[in-house]
Amino acid sequence: MMLASAVRNLSRRSFSTSKAAAAQQLTVRDALNAALDEEMERDEKVFLLGEEVAQYDGAYKVSRGLWKKYGDKRVIDTPITEMGFAGIAVGAAMAGLRPVCEFMTFNFSMQAIDQVINSAAKTFYMSAGTVNVPIVFRGPNGAAAGVGAQHSQCFGAWYSHCPGLKVVSPYDSEDAKGLLKAAIRDPDPVVVLENEMVYGVSYPVSDQVLDKNFVLPIGKAKIMRPGKHITIVAHSKSVETAMLAAGELAGKGIEAEVINLRSLRPLDTETIFKSVQKTHHLVTVEQGWPQSGIGSEICARIMEHETFFHLDAPVWRVTGVDVPMPYAKTLEAAALPQVPDVVTAVNKVLGVK
């Protein structure tokens, strides 16, 4: 009798499983690994190079198993010289290969910025369209945890400032896989700004995302949560902050529309404009510094477009604090946008006390 009751309860539970629980889970690390594997399998011109990417399986294990599968010629360990191996990668791209150049952190890309900007970004223009440079620069960007000022900087504004580059900033596993595959297939240089803090985080993905042909368009944002009272625009890990803030605001009757930019250059202003014309309010969220940041650019685009006349209040930027990243844990938290900061910004824009 008790057994029959238990079976009935169990079967009832199994049929009440939510869609979220039923969805397959995929970490950002595995999504990036799958993207690299699928594109290397698809096109023998694709190869990976960087520090510890081969025998060690990558500093963050993103390239796990690729060296064993593809060998020394297509997964290449380099010396610790970003200027050197970035230059080798750019030259290989000019010669017709499709290199994926990994920086252990984008802070170290400063060592190679002459290659990224002057060699990769400008060559197609300077050659009058005769020389493509199909290269991907990828690696972790922005704040990690406890690694100080030298390893915690966001380069979204730096690289999206430069014509000749495309810049993507994935948040979850769907973004990571779809955008990296698109970057590898693109005929021009693409900077892929990942975030170390989400590498090990699992996100629900559909069968479509797991398909080998899944690719996301560069330059198209995603509405993560629909809303009618205010628009919150974010990229990378700040999308998580925006989503948590939106959840908290919903409990107070404020429905925020959250936009995940995905791409910083080109910027999907059309999606932002449409949303703001509906909600009449805007808050931007980013971990980077305030001056000349992504939020600043969005503010300028709004000002230069008829969407400005749809605003019922000034745009509010929530950014990292205008200081080099502190090492102390408490100060580090204070230097980055937190959920209460976004909630406060929304309340001020909407005039809620």
Side-chain angles (χ1 to χ4, degrees):
M1 193 79 175
M2 285 175 63
L3 182 62
S5 174
V7 169
R8 270 199 305 276
N9 288 336
L10 191 62
S11 64
R12 233 189 332 253
R13 275 197 209 106
S14 68
F15 283 113
S16 65
T17 304
S18 68
K19 283 184 180 178
Q24 298 169 83
Q25 298 286 317
L26 184 69
T27 66
V28 171
R29 177 183 291 109
D30 289 341
L32 293 166
N33 180 268
L36 289 167
D37 187 16
E38 289 168 12
E39 293 306 301
M40 290 179 77
E41 192 176 78
R42 176 179 174 269
D43 185 351
E44 62 181 15
K45 292 179 180 178
V46 178
F47 72 99
L48 174 67
L49 79 167
E51 296 154 1
E52 300 183 349
V53 298
Q55 296 187 43
Y56 189 65
D57 278 342
Y60 306 97
K61 306 306 175 194
V62 169
S63 55
R64 184 176 55 231
L66 298 182
W67 174 67
K68 287 181 180 175
K69 183 173 180 179
Y70 296 103
D72 290 323
K73 288 190 175 180
R74 297 188 64 197
V75 185
I76 303 166
D77 278 330
T78 65
I80 303 173
T81 167
E82 282 77 14
M83 173 64 90
F85 68 74
I88 290 169
V90 173
M94 289 177 177
L97 298 178
R98 289 184 172 271
V100 178
C101 177
E102 176 180 310
F103 294 121
M104 196 177 288
T105 156
F106 260 94
N107 299 272
F108 301 153
S109 75
M110 292 294 92
Q111 299 284 338
I113 199 163
D114 181 54
Q115 301 288 6
V116 178
I117 305 302
N118 286 326
S119 297
K122 297 177 182 177
T123 293
F124 184 69
Y125 177 84
M126 291 171 68
S127 68
T130 59
V131 180
N132 283 95
V133 188
I135 186 171
V136 174
F137 300 101
R138 56 155 293 271
N141 169 69
V147 291
Q150 307 98 313
H151 307 92
S152 302
Q153 191 171 328
C154 177
F155 289 91
W158 286 62
Y159 285 117
S160 65
H161 179 67
C162 304
L165 290 178
K166 292 171 185 170
V167 184
V168 297
S169 182
Y171 161 54
D172 58 16
S173 303
E174 179 180 319
D175 292 358
K177 187 179 182 192
L179 291 173
L180 181 53
K181 285 171 73 74
I184 293 170
R185 296 184 188 190
D186 201 274
D188 298 307
V190 184
V191 173
V192 181
L193 301 171
E194 301 156 12
N195 188 283
E196 180 187 340
M197 300 304 289
V198 298
Y199 277 158
V201 180
S202 292
Y203 294 94
V205 293
S206 65
D207 289 337
Q208 183 187 6
V209 174
L210 298 174
D211 189 274
K212 288 188 176 184
N213 296 314
F214 177 74
V215 179
L216 287 172
I218 293 174
K220 186 66 184 162
K222 179 185 179 183
I223 296 175
M224 303 290 287
R225 178 187 180 121
K228 59 184 179 181
H229 296 125
I230 191 164
T231 301
I232 305 176
V233 179
H235 70 95
S236 189
K237 197 169 187 299
S238 292
V239 175
E240 177 186 297
T241 309
M243 290 291 285
L244 291 170
E248 189 173 316
L249 290 162
K252 301 171 185 174
I254 298 170
E255 292 299 328
E257 182 150 291
V258 178
I259 296 176
N260 171 8
L261 284 175
R262 284 183 167 172
S263 178
L264 305 181
R265 185 183 184 104
L267 193 63
D268 185 4
T269 50
E270 184 183 346
T271 295
I272 298 169
F273 293 160
K274 277 185 181 176
S275 179
V276 173
Q277 287 171 20
K278 178 179 69 174
T279 66
H280 310 292
H281 302 90
L282 175 62
V283 167
T284 67
V285 188
E286 63 187 303
Q287 289 192 340
W289 293 316
Q291 182 161 322
S292 307
I294 301 300
S296 304
E297 179 64 23
I298 292 169
C299 288
R301 301 281 186 102
I302 294 276
M303 287 286 290
E304 294 163 357
H305 190 263
E306 63 155 331
T307 303
F308 172 74
F309 299 104
H310 291 263
L311 285 172
D312 288 343
V315 179
W316 197 287
R317 293 177 299 153
V318 180
T319 70
V321 175
D322 198 18
V323 296
M325 181 63 71
Y327 180 70
K329 191 173 182 179
T330 51
L331 292 176
E332 183 181 62
L336 292 169
Q338 307 294 337
V339 172
D341 301 322
V342 180
V343 171
T344 299
V346 169
N347 287 336
K348 284 186 177 178
V349 170
L350 293 176
V352 176
K353 291 182 180 178

